[in-house]
Amino acid sequence: MGADERASRAGRFKQALLASDDVAIIAEIKRRSPSRGDLNTDLDPAELAVAYRDGGAACLSVLTNEAMFGGSGDDLAAASRSSGLPVLRKDFITTVEDVHESHAMGADALLLIVADLTGTQLAELHQLALSLGMDVLTEVKSESELDVALKAGADIIGVNQREKPKSEAFTMDYQRAERMAPLLPDHVVTVAESGIAVPGGTTMAAVRDAGYHAALIGEALVISGNPVERLQELLA
């Protein structure tokens, strides 16, 4: 992607989240997850991306880690090319090289997880991503992590409801997004993550009532069998 095209795409991810009259949906493309195992190993990222777009998704999230999620940079490129939607690279970004790699893939945004970085590292990577024309979704799980994110200049903040305790068993806190919503300042774009619209999980109504701008939804869509219909149900 050339410099001119990259400049023209700067801010697309954030703008798409703010453009929706309803809670915007970031629809995720992933073949498997550590917590649930195989989800849809045969999915075609280009085809699924188009289905998400047609169903009303505002943005896409693509897992690019092969070992854990069966993804790749090629998946991200294919999803972006076929759908035209802004795409988040959802991976464990911890180095300057990772940020440049995301830029080279054509990502419109990348994920930075506060728990994986020091405050200084977070601020450095956040600023680098912005300078390259990418938005940043900064992920938090607690009030203390939210403070770190805000000090680093985060302007799109995701509240992740998934836990990974020392036992390595994944658990969910389906009320976390609701509890943390009042702590999120008005100037940031807010995203509820994990456990949205799954059986027994956080409902879209709860996400709406809590005042979130967007919800990142993966499993509920990947295994739905009809992602267009499922998205339309969630947005109804």
Side-chain angles (χ1 to χ4, degrees):
M1 183 180 296
D4 290 344
E5 184 179 356
R6 169 52 63 194
S8 71
R9 293 167 67 93
R12 290 179 72 236
F13 183 82
K14 182 178 180 179
Q15 290 164 11
L17 299 184
L18 291 173
S20 177
D21 293 331
D22 192 5
V23 176
I25 290 182
I26 307 168
E28 191 157 88
I29 295 173
K30 61 181 176 182
R31 293 180 174 82
R32 60 175 180 265
S33 77
S35 59
R36 300 286 290 174
D38 290 346
L39 297 172
N40 187 347
T41 56
D42 297 325
L43 68 80
D44 181 320
E47 182 178 297
L48 185 56
V50 170
Y52 284 161
R53 181 198 66 199
D54 293 347
C59 298
L60 304 177
S61 168
V62 179
L63 278 297
T64 61
N65 182 291
E66 182 177 2
M68 297 183 69
F69 300 101
S72 68
D74 289 341
D75 286 351
L76 187 149
S80 176
R81 188 168 52 247
S82 66
S83 70
L85 293 178
V87 182
L88 167 77
R89 184 191 182 192
K90 194 155 180 272
D91 210 327
F92 303 102
I93 309 296
T94 59
T95 68
V96 168
E97 290 74 22
D98 291 337
V99 175
H100 282 290
E101 182 180 61
S102 303
H103 176 258
M105 285 179 186
D108 297 282
L110 55 79
L111 177 72
L112 293 178
I113 303 172
V114 172
D116 291 345
L117 301 162
T118 67
T120 299
Q121 289 172 324
L122 179 65
E124 176 188 10
L125 298 182
H126 189 277
Q127 183 54 44
L128 174 61
L130 294 181
S131 74
L132 293 171
M134 292 181 288
D135 288 315
V136 178
L137 173 61
T138 304
E139 180 179 291
V140 304
K141 292 184 179 181
S142 66
E143 185 172 357
S144 61
E145 290 186 0
L146 174 60
D147 289 341
V148 173
L150 292 173
K151 288 176 182 176
D155 60 345
I156 308 174
I157 293 180
V159 176
N160 193 338
Q161 302 191 120
R162 189 179 303 281
E163 289 288 6
K164 185 181 178 183
K166 293 180 181 179
S167 66
E168 299 298 309
F170 289 82
T171 58
M172 298 294 299
D173 179 354
Y174 292 122
Q175 285 73 49
R176 177 178 292 149
E178 293 178 77
R179 286 199 312 272
M180 289 195 63
L183 305 176
L184 301 170
D186 292 339
H187 71 274
V188 302
V189 178
T190 55
V191 182
E193 301 178 47
S194 298
I196 313 295
V198 296
T202 306
T203 65
M204 282 293 288
V207 173
R208 287 187 183 94
D209 291 345
Y212 281 87
H213 294 101
L216 196 157
I217 303 178
E219 180 184 331
L221 295 174
V222 171
I223 66 173
S224 68
N226 190 331
V228 173
E229 183 178 283
R230 185 68 175 122
L231 271 166
Q232 291 172 343
E233 289 173 358
L234 295 174
L235 289 168

